[in-house]
Amino acid sequence: MKVLVTGGAGYIGSHTVVLLIEAGYEVVVFDNFSNASKESIRRVEAIVGKKIVVVEGDIRYREDLAKVFSSHKIDAVIHFAGLKAVGESVEQPLRYYDNNVNGSVVLCEVMSEYNCKSIIFSSSATVYGDPHTTPILEDFPLSATNPYGRSKLMVEEILRDVYLSDNEWKIVLLRYFNPVGAHASGTIGEDPNGLPNNLMPFISQTAVGKREYLSVFGNDYDTVDGTGVRDYIHVIDLAQGHLNALDRIRNFNEPMTINLGTGNGYSVLEMVEAFEKASAKKVPYKIVERRVGDIATCFADPSYAKEVLDWEATRGIDEMCEDTWRWQSQNPNGYII
Ligand code: NAD
Ligand code: UDP
């Protein structure tokens, strides 16, 4: 089975490509390298001991995609390609809608032309907005508070409409909670451009000495210690969720919407403590104002994933922090070598 992985050079994509190749899938990576380095592909090749087929192109450009589909018989697409920075999406909404929404539309059009109708889409827990309660189930009300989140909601809706128009489509919408961690080799991991947006890269860059301290966004939430609580999930567990979905996609008779989380919530300070333990480094922090748009608590009810994908996360926060630290300490400047 040949799988096209859009955004396959990125953080989650590169880890998923490792697992796909190890499981015997044929893989074509498609990426415009707007937020990835070619070094990540070389590292993946070193892990799997194989050359990877990479096509440099943009999902918004029909010709780029047509080139791939005309030269490879693609059976399914795992669609990671997208822009993901919430703050940036507020400043540049049109760029986000063009890249994430228009890009996904063009991808589906070209897939349809080449009669490839199986897609796994990277959605996000952000589509739940500020949930009325936790843990979060898939049928909770949906909302978005920024263009990034809205782009995910829109693509979910578009894919459901695509199915309604043509029931041959097989669609899996995976709503990720907070991906962290890295491959156990320490050779691939998350390499954010410039200032990280997410907690874990910020913690690890502080531990390695690249940043003076972590700003903790508020300690007056209604949580265990006042800091925000999230469901951190190891990127390898997350990647495995895609393989389980791919294995089963043919049997799904309607679009499937599935949370990928652990079901456990940890506060910012609990993550700091776990990271200090894993790295044997201090992570200095300062409590600052709440970040606009943040919610107090967000964690999944992952039981549907267990039921329909036979999937559950197996790696806990110690392993998440140890693997992040191995990647960060071996590659203090990420993929820049
Ligand atoms: P990433 O930025 O590391 O990977 C995305 C990849 O897509 C990059 O390699 C980038 O170069 C590529 N890309 C972007 N626009 C493209 C385009 N128009 N054409 C071709 N390639 C393009 O991000 P990630 O963390 O690996 O996230 C993967 C997907 O998962 C994204 O869609 C993201 O929105 C979603 N997601 C991520 C998180 C998270 O916290 N990391 C959480 C929920 C959902
Ligand atoms: N956070 C923080 N400092 C940072 C980055 C994040 O205190 O520099 C907090 C944030 O307020 C939230 C948690 O860490 O409670 C996770 O934030 P992240 O941006 O990683 O994920 P999201 O909020 O999108 O779930």
Side-chain angles (χ1 to χ4, degrees), residues 126-139:
T126 191
V127 300
Y128 296 113
D130 192 353
H132 57 285
T133 183
T134 45
I136 298 171
L137 282 158
E138 285 83 354
D139 63 359

Side-chain angles (χ1 to χ4, degrees), residues 59-294:
I59 51 166
R60 292 168 298 170
Y61 305 146
R62 188 178 301 275
E63 323 76 69
D64 289 0
L65 287 166
K67 221 186 298 169
V68 179
F69 281 91
S70 57
S71 46
H72 298 273
K73 168 84 191 71
I74 303 292
D75 299 296
V77 176
I78 305 184
H79 177 29
F80 292 109
L83 300 173
K84 61 167 184 177
V86 171
E88 192 180 65
S89 80
V90 176
E91 284 154 24
Q92 304 172 24
L94 298 178
R95 182 170 161 237
Y96 270 68
Y97 290 126
D98 180 39
N99 199 83
N100 294 4
V101 181
N102 177 39
S104 299
V105 170
V106 174
L107 172 65
C108 290
E109 283 172 348
V110 177
M111 286 176 68
S112 185
E113 275 163 37
Y114 287 85
N115 206 31
C116 170
K117 297 183 178 175
S118 296
I119 185 167
I120 298 175
F121 173 61
S122 302
S123 189
S124 164
T126 191
V127 300
Y128 296 113
D130 192 353
H132 57 285
T133 183
T134 45
I136 298 171
L137 282 158
E138 285 83 354
D139 63 359
F140 274 24
L142 303 177
S143 69
T145 53
N146 56 68
Y148 167 70
R150 226 171 332 269
S151 76
K152 291 291 171 194
L153 264 182
M154 286 178 182
V155 176
E156 284 200 4
E157 294 291 330
I158 289 167
L159 288 172
R160 287 194 195 95
D161 285 339
V162 166
Y163 171 79
L164 289 178
S165 73
D166 177 353
N167 293 355
E168 282 179 11
W169 277 81
K170 303 285 183 188
I171 294 169
V172 183
L173 311 171
L174 297 177
R175 292 182 179 152
Y176 313 156
F177 282 68
N178 291 59
V180 297
H183 188 265
S185 63
T187 59
I188 58 171
E190 185 170 15
D191 181 20
N193 264 337
L195 201 66
N197 296 293
N198 297 110
L199 177 66
M200 195 57 139
F202 225 108
I203 291 183
S204 61
Q205 291 191 4
T206 307
V208 86
K210 281 182 80 171
R211 308 201 174 273
E212 210 182 319
Y213 62 89
L214 166 77
S215 296
V216 175
F217 300 143
N219 66 348
D220 56 354
Y221 288 104
D222 183 15
T223 62
V224 57
D225 55 22
T227 64
V229 166
R230 296 290 184 275
D231 185 340
Y232 297 95
I233 173 169
H234 196 294
V235 65
I236 296 289
D237 281 332
L238 188 67
Q240 184 61 47
H242 295 72
L243 269 76
N244 287 29
L246 197 56
D247 263 358
R248 290 159 181 77
I249 198 163
R250 250 170 301 191
N251 306 328
F252 293 144
N253 291 323
E254 56 179 3
M256 302 293 283
T257 306
I258 306 167
N259 285 342
L260 292 184
T262 66
N264 303 310
Y266 291 98
S267 74
V268 175
L269 295 183
E270 285 171 333
M271 291 307 284
V272 167
E273 197 185 323
F275 203 88
E276 287 182 335
K277 188 173 127 209
S279 63
K281 297 278 176 195
K282 268 321 267 176
V283 179
Y285 66 84
K286 288 185 190 168
I287 307 290
V288 302
E289 288 291 288
R290 288 182 179 196
R291 184 171 64 179
V292 177
D294 265 359

Side-chain angles (χ1 to χ4, degrees), residues 7-25:
Y11 172 44
I12 306 169
S14 57
H15 289 80
T16 305
V17 167
V18 169
L19 267 56
L20 285 168
I21 292 174
E22 286 175 351
Y25 288 99

